[in-house]
Amino acid sequence: MKKLIVCCLVQLFFINSLFALKITVIGTGYVGLVTGACLALDHDVICCDIDCKKIDLLNKGIIPIYEPQLQELVTKLCTSCRKKTGSIKFTCDVAQSIQEADVLMVAVGTPTDDAGRADLSILRKAFETIAANLNGYKVIIIKSTVPIGTGDTMQKLIKAKSLVDFDLVSNPEFLREGSAVNDFLYPDRIVIGTSSKKAENVMREVYNTWIEEHVPFIVTDVVTSESIKYACNAFLASKISFINEFALLCDVCDADVNTVAYAMGLDKRIGPLFLKPGPGYGGSCFPKDTQALKTLAQDYACELRMVQATIDANNKQRKAVCHKIEKIMHRDLTGKTIAVLGLSFKPETDDVRYSCAIDTIEYLLEKKALVKAYDPIAMDNFQKIFPNITYCQSWMEAVSDADCLVLLTDWEEFKKIPLRMLGTIMKQTCIVDARNLWSPVKIAELGYTLENMGRKY
Ligand code: UDX
């Protein structure tokens, strides 16, 4: 990958002048930053944000999120900029950034509101700023995940405020946190929603490198493109909920869910990915998007029972982890020391949004247990939600003298824990493995007590 990035940078200087576009990305969250940095391999990109503190950090070379390869990519781009022409720039002057661009990419947050709908207030503000600063034809791309029909609403918003010509494009992202740079550089497909041939041609220029690499490039209308994004996330979430429910069934039937998932995955119609049982899906997308899709469908009086069932199964799965802790501790958690390993919603990210660690730790505190937590990267973010639990500097410190070890995130580091050592440093060797990381056979040989998610071997 490192070689590829360097290679791309070298290529950049030869081919840049042929098709470099001026692209402004509005919003420097993980989608905006990754998109901006990756597009800067081919184009002149401005990443802007109303948060000037974040921009200051970026200008000092500090990436405010933990995302593998992103720091390296931005540093390389910036070092090269100093020598040659600029390809990535960070600023909080949003108005100026809009005026300078041919293409605008809106990648701001769309969190869930109290009614379960996507809150579009930040997006609306971004579009109002765009409308106020349109100074010539531009292609305006919605990268944020938005309810079906939002493109049309935003188009009307601009038309009501500006007479300048523009085209609106939906271009959903399919980036997984923790592997977002790789997902951007090697996508399974690129989806474009627009009713304008002119805008389609500009999008072909934006993604020229990928088109030349024969990445499937799907051009459709705006609402279909918006629907594709929700369909993908809801389907992936339903795959996870399916295997999670099946894991609970395997538990009671004494079957092995890992073998079930492996055999299922070999069926080409099913595929092996997203069949890993765990503590329920979390993160910034699946919980929010399944909820928003369900609410949106209800608004159209269209019931999506599969989506509802996916959400229900996920809520049940999060509680299942707590039930397993309760079971292993014989319903007596008062004053017990519980070591929680893993706080981020999945490995390779410091993101704790909708992490199952939040539900689990809330439950443990309610039951008056003492929580000792450790995560390789996410402790600073978690501390903002739970300032009063004990944070440890290593997994070893967390499990020392603990009555129970609860593994919530399958970080690489935890795979290497020498299980034999646990018997010598824990008070009681009770283990709840919510990611099926460890072999139950090995754990039984060591004489420890284990609860996991339907893994038998
Ligand atoms: C997801 C989508 O994958 C991505 O395409 C979209 O654009 C954004 O949302 P992300 O939330 O970063 O990406 O992570 P992902 O790897 O999809 O995992 C989401 C959650 O599902 C995590 O909590 C993860 O632990 C869980 N998961 C995933 C499982 O429990 N089992 C699996 O087999 C896969």
Side-chain angles (χ1 to χ4, degrees):
M1 176 54 53
K2 281 181 199 169
K3 271 187 191 157
L4 179 111
I5 292 170
V6 176
C7 185
C8 290
L9 281 164
V10 173
Q11 277 179 14
L12 164 77
F13 300 124
F14 294 106
I15 53 177
N16 199 0
S17 57
L18 292 181
F19 61 87
L21 288 164
K22 287 187 175 147
I23 301 175
T24 284
V25 181
I26 304 174
T28 55
Y30 101 96
V31 172
L33 266 184
V34 171
T35 302
C38 291
L39 287 177
L41 289 166
D42 288 341
H43 303 286
D44 293 328
V45 174
I46 301 176
C47 289
C48 67
D49 203 296
I50 49 170
D51 184 345
C52 292
K53 277 191 196 147
K54 218 195 235 184
I55 295 298
D56 277 350
L57 288 177
L58 286 163
N59 277 323
K60 285 179 190 143
I62 302 164
I63 305 290
I65 51 165
Y66 176 80
E67 183 60 44
Q69 299 174 346
L70 186 58
Q71 177 83 58
E72 195 183 15
L73 178 57
V74 171
T75 308
K76 284 208 166 92
L77 286 162
C78 288
T79 320
S80 316
C81 305
R82 274 177 227 130
K83 288 191 213 133
K84 300 254 181 179
T85 52
S87 54
I88 193 160
K89 207 165 93 176
F90 302 104
T91 173
C92 54
D93 189 344
V94 181
Q96 178 72 24
S97 310
I98 292 168
Q99 289 165 20
E100 280 181 27
D102 311 311
V103 174
L104 302 174
M105 272 203 183
V106 184
V108 297
T110 51
T112 310
D113 70 10
D114 295 340
R117 290 183 178 79
D119 176 357
L120 297 181
S121 55
I122 309 171
L123 187 89
R124 207 167 286 121
K125 265 209 178 105
F127 270 84
E128 276 162 9
T129 313
I130 292 173
N133 289 285
L134 265 191
N135 56 344
Y137 175 81
K138 292 178 204 295
V139 170
I140 306 170
I141 303 161
I142 301 185
K143 211 39 157 161
S144 312
T145 301
V146 291
I148 302 159
T150 303
D152 188 42
T153 312
M154 293 303 137
Q155 188 156 3
K156 285 180 184 142
L157 184 154
I158 296 190
K159 281 192 173 155
K161 291 174 188 267
S162 171
L163 294 173
V164 180
D165 190 23
F166 73 95
D167 278 313
L168 189 124
V169 171
S170 158
N171 172 216
E173 52 84 17
F174 302 100
L175 310 176
R176 286 165 300 173
E177 288 184 39
S179 57
V181 172
N182 198 59
D183 287 350
F184 197 99
L185 294 176
Y186 303 102
D188 292 332
R189 74 311 209 181
I190 292 166
V191 175
I192 300 298
T194 182
S195 50
S196 151
K197 193 70 199 163
K198 188 172 169 186
E200 180 191 326
N201 288 337
V202 172
M203 294 310 289
R204 288 185 185 279
E205 274 186 69
V206 170
Y207 288 110
N208 184 56
T209 301
W210 287 264
I211 292 169
E212 282 183 351
E213 284 168 3
H214 307 291
V215 172
F217 191 78
I218 296 153
V219 182
T220 180
D221 56 65
V222 174
V223 279
T224 307
S225 167
E226 291 168 339
S227 305
I228 290 169
K229 171 67 192 192
Y230 274 110
C232 289
N233 275 3
F235 188 79
L236 290 170
S238 75
K239 237 180 144 182
I240 299 168
S241 274
F242 177 87
I243 201 68
N244 280 341
E245 279 209 314
F246 219 89
L248 297 183
L249 179 70
C250 286
D251 257 344
V252 290
C253 295
D254 197 30
D256 177 49
V257 75
N258 279 11
T259 313
V260 171
Y262 174 66
M264 280 175 75
L266 290 175
D267 186 326
K268 289 187 186 65
R269 294 167 302 173
I270 299 173
L273 304 178
F274 280 71
L275 283 179
K276 237 175 95 192
Y281 58 77
S284 65
C285 292
F286 289 168
K288 160 175 93 76
D289 294 349
T290 45
Q291 187 60 43
L293 178 60
K294 179 193 111 177
T295 318
L296 174 126
Q298 277 167 354
D299 290 345
Y300 282 99
C302 173
E303 199 184 0
L304 293 181
R305 292 189 190 186
M306 290 276 290
V307 177
Q308 182 61 61
T310 297
I311 296 169
D312 292 346
N314 200 54
N315 292 336
K316 190 175 84 185
Q317 194 70 8
R318 284 162 168 264
K319 290 197 183 92
V321 177
C322 301
H323 293 154
K324 282 172 188 290
I325 301 173
E326 200 165 83
K327 185 176 164 201
I328 210 166
M329 297 307 294
H330 306 290
R331 302 191 188 287
D332 180 19
L333 281 160
T334 312
K336 293 284 184 318
T337 303
I338 312 295
V340 175
L341 299 188
L343 301 171
S344 57
F345 81 97
K346 67 171 198 178
E348 295 302 324
T349 178
D350 62 352
D351 198 339
V352 299
R353 284 176 289 177
Y354 289 97
S355 169
C356 71
I358 298 173
D359 303 34
T360 309
I361 290 176
E362 244 165 28
Y363 161 83
L364 290 171
L365 295 178
E366 212 179 277
K367 294 286 171 188
K368 311 236 175 312
L370 307 168
V371 177
K372 284 169 84 186
Y374 171 71
D375 186 285
I377 299 286
M379 288 200 287
D380 286 352
N381 282 344
F382 209 77
Q383 214 150 6
K384 292 174 197 154
I385 313 172
F386 290 96
N388 295 324
I389 59 171
T390 304
Y391 291 92
C392 301
Q393 290 314 304
S394 65
W395 65 263
M396 210 186 292
E397 189 189 330
V399 301
S400 289
D401 290 324
D403 293 285
C404 178
L405 181 171
V406 181
L407 185 284
L408 294 180
T409 318
D410 44 349
W411 283 96
E412 221 29 63
E413 185 180 329
F414 301 150
K415 292 183 188 161
K416 295 176 194 146
I417 292 179
L419 296 174
R420 194 168 292 280
M421 196 194 271
L422 296 179
T424 59
I425 56 176
M426 288 179 74
K427 200 188 286 172
Q428 304 182 58
T429 41
C430 296
I431 298 172
V432 177
D433 176 3
R435 296 281 179 175
N436 286 351
L437 193 68
W438 295 309
S439 154
V441 178
K442 272 191 197 150
I443 289 188
E445 277 167 13
L446 291 163
Y448 304 165
T449 316
L450 175 74
E451 283 289 326
N452 65 18
M453 314 311 270
R455 178 175 173 185
K456 189 177 171 185
Y457 301 118

